[in-house]
Amino acid sequence: MVTIYDGKPGLSRRELLKRGGIGALLVISGSAVISPEHAWGLETSALKPETMATLIQMARDIYPHDQVPDKYYAIAVKGHDEQAGKDSAYKTMIEDGIAELDKKSGDGGYRGLGWEEQRVAVLKQIEATPFFQAIRGGLVVSLYNQKEVWPIFGYEGESFSKGGYIARGFNDIEWL
């Protein structure tokens, strides 16, 4: 990654506080989205890295789980990049959808909105669009089908290989 110093300070304290100060720092470099704080990166092939970074934030706002790291949201939206590489109409829908999302968000775009409530309000404006439905529908499967996130939610996975649920606590009613 190349950083060009233009003589201006990076992010002032005032700007940090104005943006909310909380959230993942995602660096866009070439055709990649990188999280230096958490040591993961996502290379893009069809969609712009800025689009992928916005999709990651959008995924977190649609299905918010504070305990789930951003890398799992990145894995969940990677399928949109792969689909966009195969289908130019799909790519156009995603890129145009992100452009519209940024336009409705004002200066700084969707990722520039500092508060989750602000981003959710913008998402509510577009929730009936095919773009939003494609992202939301894809996330249901791509986020929650990752075996690495299951322990975070307390899900042990399928039970058949472990003898089924009957012998593994199905009838535990200690809470009653």
Side-chain angles (χ1 to χ4, degrees):
M1 179 173 70
V2 177
T3 304
I4 299 172
Y5 182 71
D6 61 1
K8 298 178 185 174
L11 190 62
S12 68
R13 281 184 20 193
R14 177 169 288 160
E15 184 65 25
L16 178 67
L17 292 172
K18 190 166 82 174
R19 292 184 183 195
I22 300 173
L25 170 67
L26 297 179
V27 177
I28 297 169
S29 175
S31 65
V33 179
I34 302 165
S35 174
E37 182 180 353
H38 300 289
W40 64 264
L42 174 71
E43 188 171 8
T44 62
S45 58
L47 297 172
K48 295 183 274 188
E50 295 84 4
T51 298
M52 292 301 290
T54 302
L55 285 174
I56 293 167
Q57 182 62 61
M58 190 177 168
R60 181 167 280 291
D61 292 334
I62 293 172
Y63 293 108
H65 299 289
D66 292 339
Q67 70 275 27
V68 176
D70 282 338
K71 74 176 184 176
Y72 297 114
Y73 287 99
I75 292 167
V77 298
K78 178 65 175 159
H80 295 291
D81 183 55
E82 294 164 358
Q83 181 67 28
K86 298 174 189 173
D87 183 351
S88 62
Y90 189 81
K91 178 179 179 177
T92 301
M93 179 188 70
I94 298 296
E95 293 287 1
D96 290 352
I98 294 295
E100 182 65 22
L101 188 66
D102 284 340
K103 182 179 172 185
K104 287 183 180 294
S105 300
D107 292 341
Y110 183 75
R111 287 183 294 130
L113 295 174
W115 300 100
E116 181 180 357
E117 294 82 20
Q118 295 172 310
R119 294 188 304 270
V120 170
V122 174
L123 289 176
K124 286 183 179 186
Q125 294 176 28
I126 66 160
E127 68 184 343
T129 65
F131 161 70
F132 180 87
Q133 293 302 319
I135 302 303
R136 186 198 55 78
L139 283 171
V140 169
V141 175
S142 60
L143 180 61
Y144 298 113
N145 265 0
Q146 296 180 57
K147 289 184 179 181
E148 295 83 10
V149 301
W150 293 353
I152 296 170
F153 298 118
Y155 178 60
E156 297 177 359
E158 58 81 28
S159 186
F160 178 76
S161 66
K162 300 173 183 116
Y165 290 108
I166 300 294
R168 296 186 64 241
F170 172 77
N171 207 18
D172 289 350
I173 55 171
E174 297 172 4
W175 57 270
L176 197 62

